[in-house]
Amino acid sequence: MRKLWTALVLAAAVTSGCGVGGKPRTPDEFAVARNAPLIIPPDFSLAPPVAGTAGLTPGEAQQQAIDALFGGPAPRSLGEMSLLDTAGRSNAALGIRSQVWDPDTRIVDKGPTTVQILTAANSSTEVASAQPGQ
């Protein structure tokens, strides 16, 4: 009798979560919030392009996008202006950032050993052929 009672309780516990004999219930996403009605977006007073007029150049379009994203150049504070003047911003050569990465430009004396290591040829083929058993 005790085994039968245990089996019935176990069977009732197992089948109670399965939804036996009924349609499985799934969450209803529309019961949470109402659907907002579709609306026509505002016009924003955009005019269609006129035939025969010049459009934006890629540089102008890029500058407009940068200004729209970041708000254009920000005014510098007095402390920042003083720091830049002390650093010698008026003495910087035009295009210096392009010249820095030029292979012929030496910026820092790295010493002969460091220069030799940096300018050494790719040795991956030499290492592979020097390994024993190959």
Side-chain angles (χ1 to χ4, degrees), residues 32-59:
V32 176
R34 289 185 46 160
N35 289 341
L38 296 177
I39 59 168
I40 298 174
D43 184 19
F44 295 116
S45 301
L46 298 177
V50 178
T53 59
L56 292 176
T57 64

Side-chain angles (χ1 to χ4, degrees), residues 63-118:
Q63 187 60 44
Q64 277 188 0
I66 289 172
D67 290 343
L69 289 172
F70 302 111
R76 298 185 186 271
S77 68
L78 291 176
E80 188 176 3
M81 297 283 284
S82 173
L83 178 69
L84 290 173
D85 289 337
T86 304
R89 74 168 157 178
S90 59
N91 301 333
L94 291 176
I96 189 65
R97 292 182 179 174
S98 300
Q99 295 172 4
V100 168
W101 292 107
D102 186 18
D104 297 330
T105 302
R106 288 276 176 125
I107 296 176
V108 177
D109 184 16
K110 297 180 175 90
T113 306
T114 307
V115 172
Q116 183 181 7
I117 292 170
L118 292 175

